[in-house]
Amino acid sequence: MTEERIKEAINTLKESGVRITPQRHAILEFLIVSMAHPTADDIYKALEGKFPNMSVATVYNNLRVFKKAGLVKELTYGDSSSRFDFASSDHYHVICSSCGKIVDFHYPGLDEVEALAEHVTGFSAQNHRMEVYGVCPDCREHGKILKS
Amino acid sequence: MTEERIKEAINTLKESGVRITPQRHAILEFLIVSMAHPTADDIYKALEGKFPNMSVATVYNNLRVFKKAGLVKELTYGDSSSRFDFASSDHYHVICSSCGKIVDFHYPGLDEVEALAEHVTGFSAQNHRMEVYGVCPDCREHGKILKS
DNA sequence: GTTATAAATTATAACTATTTTAATTTAAGA
DNA sequence: TCTTAAATTAAAATAGTTATAATTTATAAC
Ligand SMILES: [Mn+2]
Ligand SMILES: [Mn+2]
Ligand SMILES: [Zn+2]
Ligand SMILES: [Zn+2]
Protein backbone atom coordinates (compact mmCIF):
# COMPACT_ATOMS: atom_id res chain seq x y z
CA MET A 1 0.00 0.00 0.00
CA THR A 2 2.92 2.34 0.43
CA GLU A 3 3.80 1.18 -3.08
CA GLU A 4 0.38 2.30 -4.16
CA ARG A 5 0.78 5.63 -2.44
CA ILE A 6 4.06 6.26 -4.13
CA LYS A 7 2.61 5.54 -7.55
CA GLU A 8 -0.33 7.77 -6.81
CA ALA A 9 1.91 10.62 -5.74
CA ILE A 10 4.13 10.22 -8.79
CA ASN A 11 1.04 10.41 -10.97
CA THR A 12 -0.14 13.57 -9.25
CA LEU A 13 3.23 15.10 -10.05
CA LYS A 14 3.27 13.92 -13.66
CA GLU A 15 -0.21 15.29 -14.21
CA SER A 16 0.90 18.72 -13.09
CA GLY A 17 3.83 18.59 -15.47
CA VAL A 18 6.56 17.87 -12.95
CA ARG A 19 9.41 15.71 -14.23
CA ILE A 20 10.20 12.57 -12.34
CA THR A 21 13.88 12.45 -11.51
CA PRO A 22 15.57 9.73 -9.45
CA GLN A 23 16.19 12.23 -6.67
CA ARG A 24 12.58 13.31 -6.66
CA HIS A 25 11.39 9.74 -6.57
CA ALA A 26 13.72 8.89 -3.70
CA ILE A 27 12.73 11.89 -1.58
CA LEU A 28 9.07 11.16 -2.07
CA GLU A 29 9.56 7.49 -1.35
CA PHE A 30 11.46 8.26 1.82
CA LEU A 31 8.71 10.56 3.04
CA ILE A 32 6.06 7.93 2.42
CA VAL A 33 7.92 4.84 3.59
CA SER A 34 9.51 6.28 6.72
CA MET A 35 6.13 7.50 7.95
CA ALA A 36 8.00 10.06 10.00
CA HIS A 37 8.30 13.82 10.11
CA PRO A 38 11.84 14.31 8.89
CA THR A 39 13.77 17.54 8.48
CA ALA A 40 15.30 18.43 5.13
CA ASP A 41 18.62 17.36 6.57
CA ASP A 42 17.23 14.01 7.74
CA ILE A 43 16.19 13.35 4.16
CA TYR A 44 19.49 14.55 2.79
CA LYS A 45 21.42 12.26 5.13
CA ALA A 46 19.13 9.30 4.55
CA LEU A 47 19.72 9.49 0.81
CA GLU A 48 23.39 10.33 0.67
CA GLY A 49 24.23 6.66 0.32
CA LYS A 50 22.16 6.35 -2.83
CA PHE A 51 22.92 9.85 -4.10
CA PRO A 52 26.39 10.85 -2.97
CA ASN A 53 26.33 13.99 -5.07
CA MET A 54 22.88 15.23 -4.25
CA SER A 55 22.74 18.83 -3.15
CA VAL A 56 20.76 20.02 -0.14
CA ALA A 57 19.22 22.52 -2.53
CA THR A 58 17.66 19.62 -4.37
CA VAL A 59 16.00 18.45 -1.19
CA TYR A 60 14.64 21.89 -0.43
CA ASN A 61 13.59 22.52 -4.01
CA ASN A 62 11.69 19.29 -4.23
CA LEU A 63 10.02 19.66 -0.88
CA ARG A 64 8.75 22.98 -2.18
CA VAL A 65 7.52 21.31 -5.37
CA PHE A 66 5.75 18.63 -3.33
CA LYS A 67 4.18 21.26 -1.11
CA LYS A 68 2.87 23.18 -4.08
CA ALA A 69 1.38 19.95 -5.44
CA GLY A 70 -0.33 19.38 -2.09
CA LEU A 71 1.59 16.20 -1.43
CA VAL A 72 3.55 17.40 1.55
CA LYS A 73 2.95 19.69 4.50
CA GLU A 74 5.61 21.72 6.22
CA LEU A 75 5.59 21.81 10.01
CA THR A 76 7.43 24.78 11.42
CA TYR A 77 8.62 25.22 14.94
CA GLY A 78 10.32 27.97 16.79
CA ASP A 79 13.97 27.31 17.08
CA SER A 80 14.90 24.34 14.96
CA SER A 81 14.33 23.42 11.35
CA SER A 82 11.13 22.60 9.52
CA ARG A 83 9.76 19.11 9.41
CA PHE A 84 7.90 17.62 6.49
CA ASP A 85 4.85 15.41 6.59
CA PHE A 86 3.47 13.41 3.70
CA ALA A 87 -0.06 14.73 3.43
CA SER A 88 -2.19 11.63 3.74
CA SER A 89 -5.32 12.65 5.62
CA ASP A 90 -5.80 15.69 7.82
CA HIS A 91 -4.55 15.19 11.34
CA TYR A 92 -3.05 16.97 14.29
CA HIS A 93 0.22 16.38 16.16
CA VAL A 94 1.32 15.79 19.72
CA ILE A 95 4.92 16.80 20.31
CA CYS A 96 7.13 15.65 23.16
CA SER A 97 8.69 18.66 24.81
CA SER A 98 11.50 16.44 26.08
CA CYS A 99 12.70 14.48 23.05
CA GLY A 100 10.85 16.20 20.21
CA LYS A 101 8.98 13.10 19.09
CA ILE A 102 5.97 13.87 16.90
CA VAL A 103 2.91 11.63 16.92
CA ASP A 104 -0.20 11.95 14.77
CA PHE A 105 -3.67 12.02 16.17
CA HIS A 106 -7.09 12.59 14.71
CA TYR A 107 -9.70 14.93 16.06
CA PRO A 108 -13.04 15.84 14.51
CA GLY A 109 -12.24 19.45 13.72
CA LEU A 110 -12.19 22.87 15.24
CA ASP A 111 -14.69 24.53 12.96
CA GLU A 112 -16.37 26.07 15.94
CA VAL A 113 -13.19 27.90 16.91
CA GLU A 114 -12.79 29.19 13.38
CA ALA A 115 -16.39 30.37 13.40
CA LEU A 116 -15.93 32.19 16.68
CA ALA A 117 -12.71 33.78 15.48
CA GLU A 118 -14.50 35.04 12.38
CA HIS A 119 -17.35 36.43 14.43
CA VAL A 120 -15.16 38.18 16.97
CA THR A 121 -12.46 39.57 14.68
CA GLY A 122 -14.19 40.09 11.35
CA PHE A 123 -11.60 37.94 9.60
CA SER A 124 -12.69 35.27 7.17
CA ALA A 125 -11.09 32.10 8.41
CA GLN A 126 -9.34 29.79 5.99
CA ASN A 127 -7.72 27.20 8.18
CA HIS A 128 -6.03 26.71 11.50
CA ARG A 129 -3.06 25.14 13.15
CA MET A 130 -3.15 23.22 16.37
CA GLU A 131 -0.74 21.03 18.21
CA VAL A 132 -0.53 19.58 21.67
CA TYR A 133 2.71 19.60 23.64
CA GLY A 134 3.45 17.11 26.38
CA VAL A 135 5.71 14.28 27.46
CA CYS A 136 5.82 11.00 25.58
CA PRO A 137 5.59 7.65 27.39
CA ASP A 138 9.30 6.90 26.82
CA CYS A 139 10.46 10.14 28.33
CA ARG A 140 8.08 9.82 31.25
CA GLU A 141 9.29 6.30 32.08
CA HIS A 142 12.97 6.89 31.62
CA GLY A 143 12.81 10.25 33.33
CA LYS A 144 14.59 12.15 30.64
CA ILE A 145 15.44 15.75 31.30
CA LEU A 146 13.12 18.36 29.91
CA LYS A 147 14.43 20.72 27.30
CA SER A 148 14.84 24.16 28.83
CA MET B 1 -3.46 51.06 33.53
CA THR B 2 -0.58 50.41 31.19
CA GLU B 3 1.43 52.38 33.78
CA GLU B 4 0.23 49.93 36.36
CA ARG B 5 1.12 46.97 34.20
CA ILE B 6 4.61 48.25 33.65
CA LYS B 7 5.17 48.71 37.39
CA GLU B 8 3.82 45.25 38.03
CA ALA B 9 6.09 43.70 35.44
CA ILE B 10 9.12 45.57 36.79
CA ASN B 11 8.31 44.27 40.25
CA THR B 12 8.04 40.71 38.98
CA LEU B 13 11.50 41.10 37.52
CA LYS B 14 12.97 42.70 40.66
CA GLU B 15 11.56 39.93 42.79
CA SER B 16 13.32 37.33 40.72
CA GLY B 17 16.60 39.19 41.06
CA VAL B 18 16.72 40.75 37.63
CA ARG B 19 18.36 44.17 37.43
CA ILE B 20 16.37 46.98 35.94
CA THR B 21 18.36 48.71 33.25
CA PRO B 22 17.07 51.56 31.08
CA GLN B 23 17.13 49.26 28.04
CA ARG B 24 15.16 46.60 29.87
CA HIS B 25 12.61 49.11 31.03
CA ALA B 26 12.21 50.52 27.55
CA ILE B 27 11.78 47.14 25.88
CA LEU B 28 9.19 46.09 28.42
CA GLU B 29 7.38 49.41 28.15
CA PHE B 30 7.30 49.17 24.38
CA LEU B 31 5.82 45.68 24.53
CA ILE B 32 3.12 46.79 26.92
CA VAL B 33 2.27 50.17 25.44
CA SER B 34 2.31 49.19 21.78
CA MET B 35 -0.10 46.34 22.46
CA ALA B 36 1.25 44.71 19.32
CA HIS B 37 3.18 41.58 18.48
CA PRO B 38 6.52 43.03 17.42
CA THR B 39 9.59 41.23 16.16
CA ALA B 40 12.92 41.70 17.90
CA ASP B 41 13.88 43.99 15.06
CA ASP B 42 10.69 46.04 15.42
CA ILE B 43 11.65 46.66 19.03
CA TYR B 44 15.24 47.41 18.12
CA LYS B 45 14.17 49.97 15.52
CA ALA B 46 11.51 51.51 17.75
CA LEU B 47 14.09 52.20 20.43
CA GLU B 48 17.08 53.24 18.39
CA GLY B 49 16.11 56.89 18.81
CA LYS B 50 16.31 56.64 22.57
CA PHE B 51 19.20 54.15 22.63
CA PRO B 52 21.43 54.76 19.61
CA ASN B 53 24.05 52.33 20.88
CA MET B 54 21.80 49.49 21.91
CA SER B 55 22.79 46.14 20.51
CA VAL B 56 20.33 43.71 18.93
CA ALA B 57 21.80 41.16 21.31
CA THR B 58 20.39 43.22 24.16
CA VAL B 59 16.92 42.97 22.68
CA TYR B 60 17.20 39.23 22.25
CA ASN B 61 18.78 38.72 25.66
CA ASN B 62 16.05 40.65 27.41
CA LEU B 63 13.23 39.02 25.54
CA ARG B 64 14.64 35.75 26.77
CA VAL B 65 14.78 37.08 30.33
CA PHE B 66 11.19 38.23 30.08
CA LYS B 67 10.13 34.89 28.70
CA LYS B 68 11.80 33.05 31.55
CA ALA B 69 9.99 35.32 34.00
CA GLY B 70 6.70 34.50 32.31
CA LEU B 71 6.12 38.08 31.21
CA VAL B 72 6.38 37.52 27.51
CA LYS B 73 5.42 34.80 25.06
CA GLU B 74 7.24 34.06 21.85
CA LEU B 75 5.17 33.40 18.76
CA THR B 76 7.03 31.49 16.10
CA TYR B 77 6.06 31.12 12.51
CA GLY B 78 7.45 29.31 9.57
CA ASP B 79 9.51 31.57 7.44
CA SER B 80 9.95 34.89 9.16
CA SER B 81 11.17 35.97 12.55
CA SER B 82 9.62 35.41 15.96
CA ARG B 83 7.07 37.80 17.37
CA PHE B 84 6.71 38.66 21.02
CA ASP B 85 3.54 39.10 23.00
CA PHE B 86 3.26 40.61 26.44
CA ALA B 87 1.61 37.83 28.42
CA SER B 88 -1.48 39.45 29.84
CA SER B 89 -4.19 36.79 29.87
CA ASP B 90 -4.28 33.60 27.86
CA HIS B 91 -5.61 34.07 24.38
CA TYR B 92 -5.38 32.79 20.83
CA HIS B 93 -4.49 34.57 17.62
CA VAL B 94 -6.00 35.05 14.18
CA ILE B 95 -3.40 35.81 11.54
CA CYS B 96 -4.03 37.41 8.18
CA SER B 97 -2.45 35.30 5.47
CA SER B 98 -2.32 38.35 3.24
CA CYS B 99 -0.75 41.10 5.36
CA GLY B 100 0.39 39.19 8.41
CA LYS B 101 -1.73 41.13 10.87
CA ILE B 102 -2.17 39.38 14.21
CA VAL B 103 -5.34 39.84 16.25
CA ASP B 104 -6.11 38.43 19.69
CA PHE B 105 -9.22 36.47 20.46
CA HIS B 106 -10.48 34.57 23.47
CA TYR B 107 -11.86 31.09 23.44
CA PRO B 108 -12.83 28.93 26.39
CA GLY B 109 -10.13 26.33 26.04
CA LEU B 110 -9.30 23.17 24.22
CA ASP B 111 -8.93 20.91 27.23
CA GLU B 112 -10.98 18.29 25.49
CA VAL B 113 -8.50 18.08 22.64
CA GLU B 114 -5.63 17.72 25.09
CA ALA B 115 -7.52 14.97 26.88
CA LEU B 116 -8.16 13.09 23.68
CA ALA B 117 -4.57 13.46 22.60
CA GLU B 118 -3.46 12.00 25.94
CA HIS B 119 -5.84 9.12 25.63
CA VAL B 120 -4.95 8.25 22.06
CA THR B 121 -1.19 8.71 22.21
CA GLY B 122 -0.25 7.97 25.81
CA PHE B 123 1.46 11.34 26.11
CA SER B 124 0.80 13.50 29.13
CA ALA B 125 -0.34 16.81 27.73
CA GLN B 126 1.10 20.02 29.10
CA ASN B 127 -0.27 22.69 26.82
CA HIS B 128 -1.20 23.41 23.26
CA ARG B 129 -0.86 25.90 20.51
CA MET B 130 -3.62 27.00 18.21
CA GLU B 131 -4.05 29.78 15.72
CA VAL B 132 -6.52 30.58 13.02
CA TYR B 133 -5.42 31.81 9.60
CA GLY B 134 -7.62 33.88 7.38
CA VAL B 135 -8.04 37.24 5.68
CA CYS B 136 -8.50 40.42 7.67
CA PRO B 137 -11.29 42.91 6.83
CA ASP B 138 -8.80 45.42 5.38
CA CYS B 139 -7.30 42.93 2.99
CA ARG B 140 -10.69 41.61 1.99
CA GLU B 141 -12.02 45.10 1.19
CA HIS B 142 -8.97 46.42 -0.57
CA GLY B 143 -8.45 43.19 -2.43
CA LYS B 144 -4.85 42.80 -1.53
CA ILE B 145 -2.93 39.98 -3.11
CA LEU B 146 -2.49 36.86 -1.07
CA LYS B 147 1.00 35.87 -0.08
CA SER B 148 2.08 32.81 -2.05
C1' DG C 1 17.01 5.92 -31.48
C1' DT C 2 18.42 10.86 -31.99
C1' DT C 3 17.93 15.34 -31.07
C1' DA C 4 16.36 19.61 -28.99
C1' DT C 5 15.27 22.10 -25.08
C1' DA C 6 13.21 23.46 -20.96
C1' DA C 7 13.62 21.90 -16.48
C1' DA C 8 16.33 19.88 -12.77
C1' DT C 9 20.57 19.22 -10.36
C1' DT C 10 24.82 20.59 -8.48
C1' DA C 11 28.32 23.32 -6.01
C1' DT C 12 28.93 27.34 -4.06
C1' DA C 13 27.95 31.74 -2.38
C1' DA C 14 24.67 34.65 -0.16
C1' DC C 15 21.26 35.71 3.16
C1' DT C 16 18.97 36.41 7.62
C1' DA C 17 17.60 35.62 12.23
C1' DT C 18 19.67 34.56 16.24
C1' DT C 19 23.50 33.39 19.45
C1' DT C 20 28.17 33.59 21.17
C1' DT C 21 32.25 35.86 22.64
C1' DA C 22 35.11 38.96 24.97
C1' DA C 23 35.76 43.53 26.45
C1' DT C 24 33.54 47.36 28.73
C1' DT C 25 30.11 49.46 31.50
C1' DT C 26 26.74 49.67 35.14
C1' DA C 27 22.95 48.57 38.81
C1' DA C 28 22.45 47.92 43.26
C1' DG C 29 23.83 46.35 47.78
C1' DA C 30 27.42 46.98 51.48
C1' DT D 1 31.56 55.70 47.71
C1' DC D 2 33.13 51.13 46.62
C1' DT D 3 32.65 46.59 44.94
C1' DT D 4 31.32 43.13 41.97
C1' DA D 5 28.31 40.22 39.59
C1' DA D 6 25.36 41.09 35.95
C1' DA D 7 24.24 43.61 31.75
C1' DT D 8 25.51 45.84 27.54
C1' DT D 9 28.01 46.36 23.46
C1' DA D 10 30.25 45.33 18.96
C1' DA D 11 31.69 41.97 16.28
C1' DA D 12 32.12 37.44 14.76
C1' DA D 13 30.00 32.96 14.44
C1' DT D 14 26.24 29.82 13.52
C1' DA D 15 22.52 27.44 11.18
C1' DG D 16 18.81 26.84 8.17
C1' DT D 17 17.46 28.10 3.91
C1' DT D 18 17.61 30.34 -0.68
C1' DA D 19 19.82 32.32 -4.90
C1' DT D 20 23.10 31.91 -8.65
C1' DA D 21 25.25 30.13 -12.59
C1' DA D 22 27.12 26.22 -14.85
C1' DT D 23 26.18 21.49 -16.02
C1' DT D 24 23.29 17.62 -16.66
C1' DT D 25 19.04 15.27 -17.83
C1' DA D 26 13.89 13.95 -18.56
C1' DT D 27 10.79 14.23 -21.90
C1' DA D 28 8.69 14.87 -26.23
C1' DA D 29 9.16 15.65 -31.22
C1' DC D 30 11.19 13.84 -34.99
MN1 LIG E 1 1.81 13.82 10.77
MN1 LIG F 1 -1.61 38.39 21.52
ZN1 LIG G 1 9.84 12.08 24.50
ZN1 LIG H 1 -4.63 41.56 6.13
Side-chain angles (χ1 to χ4, degrees), chain A residues 114-133:
Chain A
E114 285 196 16
L116 182 120
E118 286 193 326
H119 181 252
V120 174
T121 64
F123 276 56
S124 34
Q126 295 169 322
N127 59 306
H128 64 267
R129 162 181 179 160
M130 202 272 297
E131 61 233 3
V132 173
Y133 292 87

Side-chain angles (χ1 to χ4, degrees), chain A residues 7-20 24-25 28 62 65-66 69 71:
Chain A
K7 272 185 195 163
E8 222 176 287
I10 294 289
N11 275 342
T12 306
L13 289 176
K14 274 186 181 163
E15 276 160 26
S16 57
V18 174
R19 290 185 182 173
I20 307 307
R24 223 159 241 181
H25 193 284
L28 201 51
N62 286 322
V65 169
F66 298 161
L71 290 173

Side-chain angles (χ1 to χ4, degrees), chain B residues 31 35-38 71-75 83-89 91 93 102 104:
Chain B
L31 275 163
M35 293 199 298
H37 303 85
L71 291 174
V72 160
K73 284 195 174 149
E74 184 174 1
L75 315 175
R83 298 179 160 274
F84 295 87
D85 198 4
F86 182 71
S88 38
S89 65
H91 60 267
H93 295 112
I102 300 174
D104 295 350

Side-chain angles (χ1 to χ4, degrees), chain A residues 76-77 93-97 129 131-135, chain B residues 114 123-129:
Chain A
T76 61
Y77 302 109
H93 294 112
V94 207
I95 299 161
C96 179
S97 43
R129 162 181 179 160
E131 61 233 3
V132 173
Y133 292 87
V135 183
Chain B
E114 285 196 16
F123 275 56
S124 35
Q126 295 169 322
N127 59 304
H128 64 267
R129 160 183 178 156

Side-chain angles (χ1 to χ4, degrees), chain B residues 13 18 24 60-71:
Chain B
L13 288 175
V18 173
R24 222 157 243 181
Y60 280 104
N61 287 341
N62 287 322
L63 288 169
R64 196 162 0 150
V65 169
F66 298 160
K67 259 176 74 181
K68 208 172 291 174
L71 291 174

